[in-house]
Amino acid sequence: MRCRKCGTTAVINMRHHKLALCGEHYVEWVLAQTDRAIEKYKMFTRDERVLVAVSGGKDSLALWDVLLRLGYQADGLYIGLGINDPLPYSDASLEKTRKFLEFSIQYSVFRTGDDTQHATRITHPSTPLRSAQDASRFTPTLHVIDIAQTYGKTIPEIARAKMRGQGRPCAACGLTKRYVMNRLALDKGYAVLATGHNLDDEIAVLFQNTLRWQTGYLARQAPVLPASREGLVKKVKPFCRMYERETATYALVRGIDYIYDECPHAGGNLTNFYKTLLNQLETESPGAKLSFYLEFLRARGEGAFEQFNRVEELHACEVCGQPTSAPGRCAFCRMWDVSRVVE
Amino acid sequence: MRCRKCGTTAVINMRHHKLALCGEHYVEWVLAQTDRAIEKYKMFTRDERVLVAVSGGKDSLALWDVLLRLGYQADGLYIGLGINDPLPYSDASLEKTRKFLEFSIQYSVFRTGDDTQHATRITHPSTPLRSAQDASRFTPTLHVIDIAQTYGKTIPEIARAKMRGQGRPCAACGLTKRYVMNRLALDKGYAVLATGHNLDDEIAVLFQNTLRWQTGYLARQAPVLPASREGLVKKVKPFCRMYERETATYALVRGIDYIYDECPHAGGNLTNFYKTLLNQLETESPGAKLSFYLEFLRARGEGAFEQFNRVEELHACEVCGQPTSAPGRCAFCRMWDVSRVVE
């Protein structure tokens, strides 16, 4: 398979786009595609400060890399969940994230537009930056919030304490991450919070919601969740049209060293089952995953679920002041038994 | 596995209903479920004449059987498609349909409410009729329309002639069947046309339409398609909530001898692929198929796709007078090159 642009050996063949590309042109393509999504869905501009939620995985590190190379003012937020049993998953993830940032700053790939790679095994020069001048004024920061240090327990510990050892800690983890991300973004004055959700993530959720026709959720699933007056920060997913395989290939081509392992608690969950089904669909009809998502966005944009989009009434949590629909304390403060604000 | 009602050996275990039943109680259950669907969706009453489209397969024969046993005035329509190569599929189907009717009349199962079975290997007595008295006044008729005799060509022949040998004859077949069913139902004054579509059929179509978010089709998918003033007969699917496995078990328990083979042109089509995917889903979460359908109907009923339900303007075909949205001749008359009405 040859690169459509230059005829050298391709690193990826995207059947759904009928497009094969070499490493250099693939990186260029990912940058252009992401920038196009950012513009199309009005996610943010180069004048705004963006907070990227980074986990140390391929999607979030690739996203941070792409945003920096595109000249966006993108800082990172790593949340230490304390998932280190049986393997030091969280510690390893933070390590990868720190290394990524170090390399990025050291080689200033996003500053100078030169062709330095995160690793050396890739030989293709990367695409030049679109606005190297703007980018050169910016050095990214990584915020690290360690849950155990801040709130006294790791995620597995709080989940055990609250759920009496039953079920996965995923619900507690999700609630905590959403809270911490929102609060830090607000406190530090970021215009927008960006997450690395890729197309496969998005359609797994879409599929789940569609199978049960959860019209309220369908009404709210979008590449952009707007900010609320009450203090919910704007949330965006610049990779929402990128196949998981594409973000993985980007990370590989760029030599980004990411954490390969899934969270040890994620195994066998329903989302992965849906992803497997959707992959069968994609194999049968290349492009089916992308069109499932894009056609949903079109139908949604045409008002298919508009009447189900009830705006929840939010007010300030009586403890932390963050927006909540619950009366009194927010779900986070209740779960963590917070009775005064933790700074 | 034991029957929930009487403790004898069960013939079916319906995980999604958490219900195992013996032959006798299963038949009773199918009758009650179907009658409930007929009432819930306001399909037809015992005072109305129903035309059942019968193919000789399990679903349509089971439906006819159920309707007769429930005391509905249900006649059958068999359309001879002329698909007899490499095997006499159509001829065998007609044969099965005729035998079914013969047995039905001979043993008057739907008249007397006795426990006669279509075959003898089943020993369970069947459920008594709900209104044997009404039913006793009715003897069902089978209408047979042979396409080649009426229009000069079999379905494979017209498909070859019109499509230059490319693709399956399924589109030509579907168009022809819809036309013939509607016309006969109208000409003979039936209140409603009933088809044997089961839940698996319905959700395969729903799934296909959902994957592409074909909002116009989604707006119109329902257990009942109302009649139009212009001459589209009301169409209903009394088995829309029955799993394929359930209609098959009903046919088996009732000893209905149906044609097992699929149409030789159906192999490997996308619908079957979707059915396989949906079955994986069902295995993972029993009841997923039923809730996909029922929750869709709920969302649709709540207006999710209402704005996409554009009422097509219909007028009479200039040749046959049947309703069409096409200008001049209808699609059927164009395909079959009809220039005067065929009686």
Side-chain angles (χ1 to χ4, degrees):
Chain A
M1 196 64 76
R2 299 268 146 199
C3 174
R4 156 100 64 90
K5 302 239 167 149
C6 67
T8 59
T9 304
V11 296
I12 189 167
N13 178 28
M14 295 174 283
R15 283 177 70 197
H16 48 290
H17 294 306
K18 293 195 173 64
L19 183 64
L21 292 171
C22 69
E24 176 186 355
H25 288 117
Y26 181 63
V27 167
E28 193 175 84
W29 181 86
V30 170
L31 292 182
Q33 287 289 313
T34 310
D35 214 20
R36 206 174 294 169
I38 291 167
E39 281 166 22
K40 179 181 169 68
Y41 300 112
K42 298 186 176 52
M43 292 183 173
F44 45 81
T45 67
R46 285 181 176 71
D47 297 328
E48 292 177 305
R49 291 173 61 231
V50 181
L51 183 65
V52 183
V54 284
S55 66
K58 65 185 186 318
D59 298 304
S60 56
L61 291 185
L63 177 61
W64 200 5
D65 188 67
V66 164
L67 295 185
L68 290 172
R69 295 174 62 79
L70 285 169
Y72 289 104
Q73 303 177 48
D75 287 336
L77 164 60
Y78 177 87
I79 302 176
L81 304 165
I83 300 173
N84 287 313
D85 182 32
L87 292 166
Y89 173 74
S90 287
D91 290 352
S93 303
L94 176 56
E95 181 67 17
K96 301 276 188 198
T97 306
R98 285 217 158 104
K99 280 237 170 92
F100 168 85
L101 182 64
E102 238 171 67
F103 269 113
S104 293
I105 294 175
Q106 190 178 338
Y107 294 104
S108 302
V109 287
F110 48 89
R111 279 184 161 193
T112 59
D114 70 13
D115 59 9
T116 312
Q117 300 285 330
H118 278 276
T120 51
R121 83 195 123 104
I122 308 298
T123 52
H124 278 296
S126 293
T127 180
L129 279 173
R130 279 181 50 148
S131 61
Q133 224 170 12
D134 288 351
S136 67
R137 283 186 236 125
F138 181 74
T139 300
T141 302
L142 176 66
H143 304 279
V144 177
I145 305 251
D146 187 89
I147 295 296
Q149 274 172 29
T150 313
Y151 298 101
K153 282 191 173 70
T154 66
I155 290 292
E157 284 164 1
I158 187 78
R160 265 196 299 277
K162 287 290 158 178
M163 307 188 320
R164 300 183 189 94
Q166 283 166 8
R168 301 166 193 278
C170 304
C173 187
L175 171 64
T176 304
K177 284 194 293 193
R178 279 192 301 276
Y179 179 90
V180 170
M181 290 188 295
N182 192 72
R183 191 160 158 199
L184 189 114
L186 271 186
D187 287 355
K188 305 279 182 189
Y190 286 97
V192 59
L193 176 75
T195 54
H197 292 99
N198 59 41
L199 177 76
D200 292 73
D201 299 327
E202 286 303 285
I203 59 168
V205 171
L206 177 59
F207 193 58
Q208 178 159 29
N209 291 338
T210 304
L211 285 176
R212 288 162 204 169
W213 293 94
Q214 292 181 302
T215 42
Y217 291 156
L218 290 169
R220 285 187 293 275
Q221 187 170 357
V224 173
L225 293 180
S228 80
R229 266 181 317 162
E230 298 87 353
L232 287 178
V233 77
K234 180 177 177 181
K235 294 183 187 72
V236 300
K237 300 163 187 167
F239 276 172
C240 62
R241 303 191 296 188
M242 288 277 166
Y243 282 61
E244 188 157 354
R245 195 174 142 255
E246 290 164 12
T247 61
T249 303
Y250 178 86
L252 197 77
V253 171
R254 288 279 299 142
I256 296 171
D257 182 23
Y258 61 88
I259 186 140
Y260 288 90
D261 305 320
E262 256 196 317
C263 172
H265 299 286
N269 67 16
L270 212 52
T271 306
N272 285 341
F273 174 69
Y274 293 144
K275 283 187 174 179
T276 310
L277 279 192
L278 291 161
N279 284 336
Q280 290 179 48
L281 202 67
E282 181 73 18
T283 306
E284 178 79 14
S285 330
K289 294 200 293 193
L290 187 59
S291 92
F292 179 49
Y293 187 62
L294 295 182
E295 294 302 320
F296 163 73
L297 292 185
R298 178 198 44 74
R300 183 182 173 277
E302 288 171 11
F305 301 105
E306 212 159 286
Q307 68 264 49
F308 304 103
N309 197 3
R310 278 182 232 109
V311 178
E312 269 189 313
E313 214 169 293
L314 297 176
H315 58 90
C317 165
E318 63 184 28
V319 176
C320 71
Q322 294 296 298
T324 177
S325 58
R329 282 194 296 176
C330 69
F332 179 87
C333 287
R334 273 182 286 133
M335 187 175 76
W336 285 92
D337 290 323
V338 179
S339 51
R340 52 167 197 84
V341 178
V342 179
E343 294 301 340
Chain B
M1 196 62 79
R2 299 267 145 200
C3 174
R4 156 100 65 89
K5 302 238 167 151
C6 66
T8 59
T9 304
V11 296
I12 189 168
N13 178 28
M14 296 174 283
R15 284 177 71 197
H16 48 289
H17 294 306
K18 293 193 172 63
L19 184 63
L21 292 171
C22 69
E24 176 185 355
H25 288 117
Y26 181 63
V27 167
E28 194 176 82
W29 181 86
V30 170
L31 292 182
Q33 287 290 312
T34 309
D35 215 19
R36 206 173 295 166
I38 290 168
E39 280 166 23
K40 180 182 169 67
Y41 299 114
K42 299 186 175 53
M43 292 183 173
F44 45 81
T45 66
R46 285 180 176 72
D47 297 328
E48 292 179 304
R49 291 172 62 230
V50 181
L51 182 65
V52 183
V54 284
S55 67
K58 65 185 186 321
D59 298 305
S60 56
L61 291 185
L63 177 61
W64 200 6
D65 188 67
V66 165
L67 295 185
L68 290 173
R69 294 174 63 79
L70 285 169
Y72 289 104
Q73 303 176 47
D75 287 335
L77 164 60
Y78 178 86
I79 301 176
L81 303 164
I83 299 172
N84 288 312
D85 182 33
L87 292 166
Y89 173 75
S90 287
D91 290 352
S93 303
L94 177 55
E95 181 67 17
K96 302 275 188 196
T97 306
R98 286 217 158 105
K99 280 235 170 93
F100 167 85
L101 182 65
E102 239 170 68
F103 269 114
S104 294
I105 295 176
Q106 191 179 340
Y107 294 104
S108 302
V109 286
F110 47 90
R111 280 183 160 196
T112 60
D114 70 13
D115 58 8
T116 312
Q117 300 286 329
H118 277 276
T120 52
R121 83 195 124 102
I122 308 298
T123 52
H124 278 295
S126 292
T127 181
L129 279 173
R130 279 179 50 146
S131 61
Q133 225 171 13
D134 288 351
S136 67
R137 285 186 234 123
F138 181 74
T139 301
T141 304
L142 176 66
H143 304 279
V144 176
I145 304 250
D146 187 90
I147 295 295
Q149 275 173 27
T150 314
Y151 298 102
K153 281 191 174 69
T154 66
I155 289 292
E157 284 166 0
I158 188 77
R160 266 196 297 276
K162 288 290 158 179
M163 306 187 322
R164 299 186 191 94
Q166 283 166 7
R168 300 166 193 277
C170 305
C173 186
L175 171 64
T176 303
K177 284 194 292 194
R178 281 192 300 277
Y179 179 89
V180 169
M181 290 188 295
N182 192 70
R183 190 160 160 200
L184 189 113
L186 270 187
D187 287 355
K188 305 279 183 189
Y190 286 96
V192 58
L193 176 74
T195 54
H197 293 99
N198 58 42
L199 177 76
D200 291 73
D201 299 327
E202 287 303 285
I203 61 168
V205 172
L206 176 60
F207 192 59
Q208 179 159 29
N209 291 338
T210 304
L211 285 176
R212 288 161 205 173
W213 293 94
Q214 292 181 302
T215 43
Y217 291 155
L218 290 169
R220 285 187 294 274
Q221 187 170 356
V224 174
L225 292 180
S228 80
R229 266 181 318 162
E230 298 88 352
L232 286 179
V233 77
K234 181 177 177 182
K235 293 183 187 72
V236 300
K237 300 162 187 169
F239 276 171
C240 63
R241 304 192 294 188
M242 288 276 165
Y243 282 62
E244 187 157 355
R245 194 173 144 258
E246 290 164 11
T247 60
T249 303
Y250 178 86
L252 198 76
V253 171
R254 288 280 298 142
I256 297 171
D257 181 25
Y258 62 88
I259 186 141
Y260 289 89
D261 304 320
E262 258 197 315
C263 172
H265 300 287
N269 67 16
L270 212 51
T271 306
N272 285 340
F273 174 68
Y274 292 144
K275 284 187 174 180
T276 310
L277 280 192
L278 290 162
N279 283 336
Q280 291 179 47
L281 202 66
E282 180 74 19
T283 305
E284 179 79 14
S285 331
K289 294 200 295 194
L290 187 59
S291 91
F292 179 48
Y293 187 62
L294 294 182
E295 294 303 321
F296 163 73
L297 292 184
R298 179 197 44 73
R300 183 182 173 276
E302 289 171 11
F305 301 106
E306 212 159 284
Q307 68 265 48
F308 304 104
N309 197 2
R310 278 182 232 106
V311 178
E312 269 188 313
E313 216 171 292
L314 298 176
H315 58 88
C317 165
E318 62 184 28
V319 176
C320 70
Q322 293 296 298
T324 177
S325 59
R329 282 195 297 176
C330 68
F332 178 87
C333 287
R334 272 182 286 132
M335 187 177 76
W336 285 92
D337 289 324
V338 180
S339 50
R340 53 169 197 84
V341 180
V342 179
E343 294 300 342

